[in-house]
Amino acid sequence: MKRWITTTDHKRIGLLYFWTAFCFFLVGGLEALLIRLQLAQPNGHLVSAETYNQLFTMHGTTMVFLALMPLSASFFNYIVPLQIGARDVAFPRLNAFSYWVFLLGGLLLNASWLVGPLFHAPHWNVAPNGGWFGYANLTERQFSPGPNIDFWLLGLQILGISSLAAGFNFIVTILNMRAPGMKMLRVPAFSWMTLVTQFLVITAFPVITVGLVFLMFDRFFGTHFYVATAGATPLLWQHLFWLFGHPEVYILILPAMGIVSEVLPTFARKPLFGYTVVVFSGVLIGFMGWGVWSHHMFAVGLGPIADSVFAGTTMLIAVPTGVKIFNWIATLWGGDIRGSTALHFAVGFIAMFIIGGLSGVTHASPPADLQQTDTYYVVAHIHYVLFGGTVLGLFAGIYYWWPKMTGRLLSEPLGKWHFWLTFVGMNLAFFPMHLIGLLGMPRRIYTYTPELGVSALNLVSTVGAFLIAVAILVFLVNVLRTRTHGRPAPNDPWGGATLEWSIPSPPPVYNFSVIPTVASRLPRWKTERHEPMRDPPAVPPAPIHVPPGSWWPLIAALGLPVLALAPLTHTLWLAFLGAAILLVGIYRWAFEPFEV
Amino acid sequence: MSEQSGEPPRGAGPHEHAHPDAETYLRVAAALVVLTVLEVGVFYVPAFRPVLVPTLLVLSALKFSLVVLFYMHLKMDSPFFSFLFGAPLLLATGVLVALLFLFFGTLTLRGAAGAG
Amino acid sequence: MTHAAATHHTSMGLDSRKMAFWAFIGSECLLFSSLISTYLVYKGRSVVGPSPHEILNIPFTSVSTFDLLMSSLMMVLALAAVQRGDMKWGKIWLFATALLGLVFLGGQVIEFTEFVHKGLTLQTNLFGCTFFVLTGTHGAHVTVGVLWLLTLWVRALQGKLGPGQALTVEITGLYWHFVDVVWIVIFTVVYLIQ
Ligand code: HEM
Ligand SMILES: [Cu+2]
């Protein structure tokens, strides 16, 4: 227990991220099922309108910040150091700090489901209820008097700190901790996409932090950042949020693109087609992702010139995205394909992501978007890219790297069941949403009348959602079975080309008994010019120093939720206590002997 | 950013080549003072009214660059650090300019009052 | 030539802490540009006074600006001293940097108090909101910097800071100069361009 709490080992932290994020994924999934039950038929009355608002807000917030981002982070943690031939990340304790801050921030957010009585609310749930983008000025105290939005803005600020810390850490790790010979253009695609993602994180998160700080000041200290009567405009919030929000969608998709770029070559036994192009289009997407944010604001009336500019940039960004898709397809083309579960998910990713990308391009055009925005059509788009894209990509990664991370292979037959149920389920759940939206059903409305003519489609969608739930159950069964019955994994169950497959599964604490020297982009494959590398010996020839654990990242992290409780409960001394804990944690951390 | 603040020494020795000497530092400081005096001076001289904003922006950009190049050593340090700083700085400036356009500029075709 | 080459092997031959710190500074650029953008897009939108030219005290702030610039000079002198192994002057300059930082903070306290007396608070109007949050965030950064500098100074007094820790001093300096650079921008954009 203590070994896990004080751990600074990237592999353990990766597993902690995985299980924590997976639990949040299940919570977010339950919220989705409740939403779908409510909408299964017209005039539904399973939950109240207020609870419904909390459900869709927490569903979106949880899935984005507590499930998908940290699931990606679990692979950054576990896999990136292995792929680049390092013994750990650049700052192991900062890494532990990121994890604990994430956990505590997630718990704080979700505590809002249960603490109503503490805030004199008539019910248990006082969860955030302003949508995952929390549009001002609905979120002002005047219109949202309860603690709901407070939980949201404080929770997100805490989670931002976690992401930022991890961002600096992984940028330095990937740039500076590569094994000898691993030039930047020999870095595996997944690690490359991680690098781009982290640059987006460290530039985008400060912007939303500022937006949230303004909101916090408005709600707690009576400022007027989003108060129209004081001359301010709620548009400021929309700009700050989407300046962050669009890079954020790439933060969510780029890691999955990276995973797919690893899985396809392995199971087609062919190098990634146009590796350099894939890498550079990833970088380009990262840059261009900064220039499109107002496509979320076509409906507010920015004027024809602004609308045209952002429509143009949005359509342009589809180009590097399309380039990647062609590269993936070309990787499969003529390959020696083995239809593993991981490959199923990766190919599913390509297909579903194409649909999501296409609907994205349809609302890149402002006149079309005016018909689509705030309807279920947009919900269909985001679920094709986030579920069909990110989640399928993550599952591809899970099946691919599970043996490396746990030492056992997940069952392939159950995996295929998992895939097909997910695939059919997601299309049943999300495809009808295109039609539901075009027929005029708005988002974020707790019910609808039979006259709208979308009842049957909604029922289909709900059935699809439950099919996805069954698929997730199959996955959980697979996981449990594998713990006891799974086939033990050799170093390299798939014939992978990258360094993580050259060491035992799961790897020893020190990862590499001898740090390999890399001579090619596919070090473990035979290419025209290179023989496959020799795997590091099973027993290290010399003793390897492994850093001890540390308590201080956890303690420093504990200061943050305490700080957040101060405004939440209007208790000043908690602010001092929180700051003191944070400071003590940081000082002890800075001055404890810790040799990396 | 405590990871940076006080880890045990890694024995990074003195690095003469990389950093300028005290004299350069003093010269830069003198330049900074002169530029600041100019800034405040320009502010008070009515003749500068029409070009006040561009003049001030140039002066402040000069000060900015002096500190970043000499005191933060970007001039002699690895160009990669310039990239790590410069790329986000470019984004930051881009965001600022874009927002100004969106709120005030003719980009909106609605004039200064309209954006709200 | 590169500092870390002699010590820890890194792929880019650059020290990891310094690299992380530059990335951090890059990230801070977006924090401050968001704050400054907000100040600018809300300029002139306040529905009640006071407005910037009625309140801002240019001579006073010019002195503060000068003070912060000089603290940056002290900081580079401190770094140069520590690098030469001259810890006597290293201590003096470190302390002087922190002291000038404290003077700046004192100036900010006086300035804020005066504004409040003249009727500009955080809640008065949009100018108050944006001005106090922007300059307050900067002040918070200065405060962290002062604490950091004093920590180094105490370590130096204890004999735990020497030429071996020059890199730590350099990174502290990066932070301090960045905070100064932000002030250079704020001084121009908020105070001089009214
Ligand atoms: C070809 C690429 C894409 C284009 C052209 C595109 C375009 C758009 C546009 C114009 C909107 C605004 C629709 C509206 O609210 O009226 C939108 C919304 C959205 N997109 Fe995309 N998109 C693309 C890819 C992606 C990807 C890869 C993701 C995430 C993985 C994503 C996630 C989202 C989300 C979450 C929203 C909804 C935000 C909200 O209102 O809640 N998109 N997209
Ligand atoms: Cu977008």
Side-chain angles (χ1 to χ4, degrees), chain C residues 40-60:
Chain C
L40 290 176
V41 299
Y42 276 174
K43 219 166 133 172
R45 292 181 74 121
S46 297
V47 287
V48 294
S51 56
H53 65 270
E54 295 164 347
I55 284 276
L56 298 175
N57 182 341
I58 301 299
F60 184 86

Side-chain angles (χ1 to χ4, degrees), chain A residues 201-277:
Chain A
V201 166
I202 67 161
T203 45
F205 270 80
V207 184
I208 192 182
T209 302
V210 167
L212 289 167
V213 166
F214 291 164
L215 184 60
M216 182 170 77
F217 271 71
D218 274 9
R219 290 179 61 86
F220 290 106
F221 308 120
T223 52
H224 319 287
F225 284 101
Y226 308 120
V227 180
T229 47
T233 161
L235 277 195
L236 176 69
W237 167 267
Q238 296 196 20
H239 279 299
L240 292 176
F241 185 84
W242 291 118
L243 266 166
F244 152 80
H246 193 88
E248 169 70 15
V249 308
Y250 288 108
I251 291 169
L252 289 162
I253 197 70
L254 284 171
M257 290 178 161
I259 292 173
V260 168
S261 307
E262 299 291 333
V263 170
L264 294 175
T266 302
F267 294 105
R269 286 194 226 263
K270 250 182 82 191
L272 182 63
F273 183 86
Y275 161 87
T276 329
V277 178

Side-chain angles (χ1 to χ4, degrees), chain A residues 326-570:
Chain A
F326 284 114
N327 278 293
W328 291 322
I329 296 176
T331 305
L332 289 172
W333 194 271
D336 173 12
I337 289 176
R338 284 170 297 161
S340 66
T341 307
L343 186 76
H344 277 66
F345 275 103
V347 175
F349 166 98
I350 301 178
M352 298 299 96
F353 185 73
I354 290 177
I355 299 181
L358 286 177
S359 61
V361 176
T362 66
H363 37 239
S365 159
D369 182 61
L370 290 184
Q371 299 301 312
Q372 299 161 0
T373 193
D374 269 332
T375 72
Y376 261 83
Y377 189 88
V378 174
V379 182
H381 164 66
I382 68 185
H383 285 89
Y384 269 89
V385 284
L386 288 174
F387 195 99
T390 308
V391 173
L392 293 193
L394 285 169
F395 272 121
I398 289 173
Y399 280 89
Y400 185 55
W401 282 312
W402 195 270
K404 185 53 60 189
M405 293 167 69
T406 65
R408 283 178 190 271
L409 286 143
L410 286 165
S411 146
E412 284 286 312
L414 277 177
K416 301 283 167 52
W417 274 100
H418 173 199
F419 170 75
W420 285 110
L421 283 169
T422 307
F423 189 76
V424 174
M426 80 149 277
N427 281 291
L428 277 182
F430 303 129
F431 197 82
M433 289 183 180
H434 291 107
L435 305 171
I436 294 172
L438 292 177
L439 287 169
M441 178 161 159
R443 305 164 69 173
R444 302 180 226 111
I445 293 289
Y446 79 110
T447 194
Y448 53 94
T449 59
E451 289 79 47
L452 197 58
V454 293
S455 312
L457 288 169
N458 267 303
L459 186 61
V460 172
S461 173
T462 301
V463 170
F466 276 85
L467 220 54
I468 297 176
V470 173
I472 299 291
L473 283 180
V474 172
F475 172 69
L476 286 176
V477 169
N478 196 350
V479 166
L480 283 179
R481 244 188 54 95
T482 300
R483 282 175 69 93
T484 47
H485 294 68
R487 194 156 58 82
N491 287 11
D492 180 8
W494 315 121
T498 41
L499 291 181
E500 75 267 33
W501 305 111
S502 70
I503 53 177
S505 311
V509 259
Y510 48 77
N511 297 349
F512 296 88
S513 56
V514 175
I515 298 289
T517 299
V518 178
S520 118
R521 189 171 72 67
L522 304 162
R524 303 192 70 257
W525 280 3
K526 185 173 162 56
T527 60
E528 282 155 27
R529 270 170 296 155
H530 296 276
E531 286 302 304
M533 68 182 269
R534 251 194 304 140
D535 291 348
V539 183
I544 295 170
H545 165 78
V546 177
S550 170
W551 285 97
W552 304 112
L554 169 61
I555 298 199
L558 277 170
L560 294 172
V562 176
L563 262 175
L565 282 177
L568 209 50
T569 59
H570 300 273

